[in-house]
Structure formats: C-alpha cells, structure tokens
Amino acid sequence: MRRNNQSSVSEFLLLGLPIQPGQQGVFFTLFLGMYLTTVLGNLLIILLIRLDSRLHTPMYFFLSHLAFTDISFSSVTAPKMLMNMHTQDQSISYAGCISQVYFFLFWGDLDSLLLTSMAYDRYMAICHPLHYTTIMSQSLCVLLVIVSWVQSCASALLHTLLLARLSFCGDNTVPHFFCDLSTLLKLSSSDTTVNELLILTVGVVVITVPFICILVSYGHIGATILKVPSTKGMCKALSTCGSHLSVVSLYYGAIIGLYFFPSSNNKDVIVAVLYTLVTPMLNPFIYSLRNRDMKGALGNMLSRGPCSSR
C-alpha cells in the first residue's frame, strides 16, 4: 500500500476459486490440463485450416480467428490463476490488474463479434446459396474481422480508461480469480455511475445486438431448412451450422447465467471458469467431432505424417 493523504491501493489480492486447501493440487492439475488442451486444440484448428486448401473458405477463415481469440481469452486469466494456486501468492499489481481487465474485455468482445460474423456467413450459405460466393468475398470477410477487432479494442479501451480514473482506498481484496470489472467497481471509493452506464451501453452494442443478430440469422436459417423437401438435404443444411450453434449456446449460455440470474460470489466465479476455461477448451472438440471437413483435414494430415518421413 502507498500512503499519501489517504491510502491508495498499489496491488490487489485475488481470493481465487472456492477450493479447500487440501484440494489445491488436484484442481491445479485439472485446470492446467484444461488450459493446455485449449491452447493445443485451438492451435491444431488454426494449423489444419492453414494447411488444407479445402478449408480456405469464409467459414473457416472466421473459425481460425475464433480459435486464436479463444487461446488469447483463456491466456488472460488462466496462467495467473495457475501461478497463484502454485505459489500461494494471491497478489497482482495495480497495473497488472488494469491490464487484465482490458485484455479480458477485448478478447471477450471479439469472441462475440466473430460468432456473429460466422452466423451471417451461415445465413448467406443456406438462405442465399446462389449469391454466397459473390457476397462473402475475401474483402468482406477481412473487413468484418477488422471491424470486430476495432470495435472490441475501442469498447475495452473505454472501460479501462474510466476504470483507471477511479480511486481504490482501503479494501483491496478481489473475491475472484482474476480482475473482474464489476467486482473492481464495487471496491472503488469513487462514484462509478459513469462506469456502470458504460457497461450497459457497450454491453448492448457488443453482446446484446450481436446475440439478436445471431438469433435472427438462425431464425431465417430454420425457416429455409423447413422448406427443404428431402430429409437428406435438411440434415446436410443442419450439419453446416450445428457446430457453430453449439459454440454460441455455450458462450451466451454462460453470459446469461452470469448476468440474468441471482448473483453470488461463488456462482459468479464458477460461471467465469465456465466461459474462460471450459468453453474455449470445448470449441476444438465441437468443431472436430461435428464437422466432416475438419475431421477429413485431420485425417489427411495424420496420414501424410508417416509418408513424409519415408
């Protein structure tokens, strides 16, 4: 703590997960395995898309960016959490905490916007197949990704700049395993009205509106699929968006559970583990197990391995 006319927080203490001391080793191993699976699984997706020319399509272009985002999103919180569990040192510097807030918001918002771009891609592929290749050009795909990055950067920067203006005096204990924005606002000794208003405003722009766009896209997709005369054609159409719909359900299901149901410290921490560790870890399995193209690309890469060494 620094002491001037009043005490000003120079670091925060992260209480971490609600785990008994005797179980720390088990959960450390579990979360380390989950984090490594997230990193390696999403790197594998990026590698497959890079190597297999059949996956050089708009859907897999967005998927490669989503995989990179998932790695980065988990990396914002998981390494620090694992380090704290291993060393039993719960402290994080003020600058480190503010930086963690920025990158957590940035990658989380980017995840939402990329899922929306992928929903639009599926909408065009199923509802307007004749115009798909014309509309979903490479330039449009790149533009959608750039807009997503810029919008995520701007929203996260706004939150972080307003947070940095607040004073933190007295209690510096964060009942979480990372520096969560809403939790930090409760610790501040300053007026947080503007911060809370910004959370509502930006939340509508980067979470609510994209979610509505996804629902509208899949509403049109569902109506189009129901018009398909053959069962085979209907199953084929469903298979192209089943993986994406599963990931969307996991991502927004966690957000709905966090913000639309009664809040408690333990519940918030558990839900945060779900969308920072579990969901990014499951994404590679969902796209590998439910996607014929990804399984084919993986099979081709494994079959080429022995041949290339001969």
Side-chain angles (χ1 to χ4, degrees):
M1 303 282 286
R2 299 189 306 266
R3 294 190 179 276
N4 301 317
N5 293 333
Q6 59 180 345
S7 59
S8 178
V9 169
S10 60
E11 66 177 21
F12 293 95
L13 297 178
L14 301 173
L15 288 186
L17 299 168
I19 300 172
Q20 297 297 325
Q23 299 176 327
Q24 289 280 345
V26 175
F27 279 94
F28 174 83
T29 304
L30 174 64
F31 291 133
L32 178 60
M34 292 171 65
Y35 176 62
L36 292 177
T37 302
T38 299
V39 173
L40 296 176
N42 283 288
L43 282 177
L44 178 61
I45 283 182
I46 296 172
L47 181 64
L48 290 176
I49 294 172
R50 181 85 174 177
L51 295 179
D52 197 318
S53 59
R54 294 174 301 175
L55 300 182
H56 294 174
T57 63
M59 182 175 72
Y60 294 109
F61 173 75
F62 292 128
L63 178 57
S64 64
H65 282 271
L66 182 68
F68 177 74
T69 301
D70 283 338
I71 294 172
S72 304
F73 188 46
S74 288
S75 298
V76 173
T77 58
K80 179 61 178 174
M81 178 189 71
L82 292 168
M83 185 184 299
N84 289 359
M85 292 176 70
H86 181 66
T87 62
Q88 300 300 311
D89 179 12
Q90 298 173 311
S91 65
I92 181 172
S93 67
Y94 174 83
C97 192
I98 298 297
S99 299
Q100 195 176 55
V101 169
Y102 171 79
F103 287 107
F104 180 83
L105 294 173
F106 173 73
W107 294 116
D109 292 348
L110 185 57
D111 219 331
S112 173
L113 296 172
L114 287 175
L115 288 173
T116 308
S117 297
M118 294 174 75
Y120 177 70
D121 172 74
R122 292 299 83 206
Y123 162 74
M124 292 305 306
I126 294 175
C127 300
H128 303 283
L130 298 179
H131 304 286
Y132 176 73
T133 53
T134 304
I135 295 175
M136 294 304 296
S137 62
Q138 183 178 2
S139 58
L140 177 63
C141 294
V142 172
L143 178 62
L144 287 173
V145 169
I146 291 174
V147 169
S148 298
W149 277 72
V150 171
Q151 188 171 337
S152 301
C153 180
S155 63
L157 189 59
L158 279 173
H159 282 300
T160 308
L161 291 176
L162 285 178
L163 177 64
R165 296 179 61 187
L166 300 179
S167 298
F168 295 91
C169 305
D171 187 12
N172 67 337
T173 303
V174 181
H176 221 303
F177 65 91
F178 69 96
C179 290
D180 176 61
L181 176 60
S182 59
T183 305
L184 289 176
L185 294 183
K186 294 175 184 177
L187 295 179
S188 174
S189 54
S190 305
D191 181 14
T192 60
T193 303
V194 176
N195 300 74
E196 292 167 358
L197 182 61
L198 184 65
I199 288 176
L200 291 175
T201 305
V202 175
V204 168
V205 175
V206 299
I207 299 295
T208 306
V209 171
F211 183 53
I212 292 173
C213 291
I214 291 173
L215 292 179
V216 171
S217 296
Y218 275 100
H220 285 289
I221 288 171
T224 302
I225 290 175
L226 291 176
K227 296 177 183 178
V228 177
S230 67
T231 306
K232 184 178 180 181
M234 185 180 297
C235 292
K236 183 178 180 181
L238 284 171
S239 68
T240 62
C241 51
S243 301
H244 177 254
L245 199 54
S246 300
V247 173
V248 167
S249 300
L250 282 172
Y251 179 82
Y252 284 100
I255 292 176
I256 291 170
L258 184 62
Y259 293 106
F260 292 92
F261 288 95
S263 178
S264 68
N265 286 341
N266 285 350
K267 188 269 289 183
D268 291 349
V269 170
I270 292 170
V271 174
V273 170
L274 178 63
Y275 70 79
T276 58
L277 277 176
V278 178
T279 300
M281 180 191 70
L282 291 178
N283 287 357
F285 293 102
I286 291 172
Y287 278 103
S288 298
L289 296 176
R290 296 179 60 92
N291 191 292
R292 186 178 303 172
D293 294 334
M294 291 296 296
K295 287 190 287 188
L298 179 60
N300 289 339
M301 187 180 75
L302 293 176
S303 63
R304 283 202 303 264
C307 297
S308 61
S309 61
R310 290 178 183 175

